[in-house]
Amino acid sequence: MTAVPKQAKIAALFKQAVVIPVLTIEKLEHAVPLAKALVAGGVRTLEVTLRTDAAVAAAKAIIAEVPDAIVGIGTILNPDDLSRAIALGAKFGISPGLTPELLKAAAASDLPFAPGIATASELMAALAAGFDTLKFFPAEQAGGIKALRALAGPFPNVRFCPTGGIGEANAATWLAEPNVLCVGGSWLCPAADIRSGNWAGITAICNSAMKSLKRP
Ligand code: 3PG
C-alpha cells in the first residue's frame, strides 16, 4: 500500500494532540498511573519510547488500562521496532531519524508513521518514501525555528512535530509556525516526578500546558 492515507491520519493525530509527551518509562508500575495523570491533565496522545526494558510492557498496560490515551510508540530505530509497535496495537509510530530499511518497512505497513529528520537531505529521503508528516529532531539543537523556516521554503507541504529542547517557555512559539502541527517533549512528565510518583504534579504541568497552548 502507499503511505498516503496514513499520512492524513498521522497529520490529524498530531494536529489534535497539540503536545505529545515523550515518555521514558523505567518501571512497569509507573506506566498506568503516569498515563492516567497525563490524560487527567488533558494530554491524551502519548509517545511511549522503546528506550527501556519496561517499554513494551508499559505500552501494553497503558493501551489495556487507559482507554482514553492515544498511544504511539517512539524511538523506533529499525524494522523490528516497527513490528513491535504494530504488534502492540500502537496508533502511530515515531522515529528520531531514518534509514532506508526503516522507511521501506514503514511505507509497507499500515501504521501511521512520522520519521525523524534534521536536514534537507533526510527530509527528501522521507518524502521519496511517501512521508510528508515528520518529526524535526533534535529541534532546538538542529537549528531551531530558523532551520524549520528555512526548510519551509523548498518543502512547503511538509508538516512537522518538532521535538528536542522544547518546553513550557518555547512551545507556543514553535506551535505558531504554520508548518508545525504539534510539539513533542519530555517536559510534561519530568523524570523526577515519575520516579517519585508525583502524578498530581504531572497533571498540573499538563493542565497548564493545555490551557496556554490550546488552539482557538
Ligand atoms: C525525544 O526523544 O524526542 C527527546 O528526547 C525529547 O527531547 P526533550 O527531552 O528535550 O524534550
Side-chain angles (χ1 to χ4, degrees):
M1 68 165 282
T2 74
V4 176
K6 291 181 305 188
Q7 289 305 285
K9 256 191 214 170
I10 197 153
L13 270 173
F14 278 1
K15 200 165 179 197
Q16 59 80 27
V18 186
V19 295
I20 299 186
V22 175
L23 310 185
T24 301
I25 302 174
E26 291 166 344
K27 293 191 174 161
L28 175 57
E29 62 261 34
H30 292 156
V32 168
L34 171 60
K36 285 184 174 167
L38 292 159
V39 169
V43 173
R44 295 180 56 212
T45 307
L46 318 179
E47 175 188 340
V48 179
T49 64
L50 293 178
R51 289 180 204 176
T52 60
D53 291 343
V56 168
K60 209 179 268 178
I62 295 169
I63 289 167
E65 294 178 46
V66 191
D68 286 342
I70 299 165
V71 179
I73 296 295
T75 318
I76 291 176
L77 302 182
N78 51 52
D80 283 351
D81 290 343
L82 189 81
S83 301
R84 230 165 268 144
I86 293 164
L88 277 165
K91 291 282 190 290
F92 63 95
I94 299 187
S95 65
L98 50 79
T99 67
E101 296 75 22
L102 180 57
L103 287 177
K104 194 172 164 203
S109 89
D110 287 332
L111 186 73
F113 182 71
I117 68 101
T119 67
S121 295
E122 292 161 1
L123 191 157
M124 287 164 68
L127 271 182
F131 296 94
D132 62 6
T133 301
L134 311 175
K135 170 169 172 162
F136 178 47
F137 177 79
E140 282 289 338
Q141 299 86 341
I145 285 175
K146 279 187 184 166
L148 198 75
R149 283 190 185 150
L151 290 171
F155 308 107
N157 298 322
V158 176
R159 296 291 173 265
F160 296 95
C161 170
T163 306
I166 298 178
E168 203 175 340
N170 59 357
T173 315
W174 279 98
L175 283 165
E177 291 299 305
N179 56 354
V180 169
L181 294 173
C182 66
V183 295
S186 58
W187 92 95
L188 296 150
C189 48
D193 286 335
I194 299 177
R195 285 191 195 120
S196 66
N198 183 14
W199 312 125
I202 288 173
T203 298
I205 295 171
C206 292
N207 266 324
S208 142
M210 290 314 274
K211 213 169 144 195
S212 63
L213 300 175
K214 259 245 160 356
R215 293 201 179 87

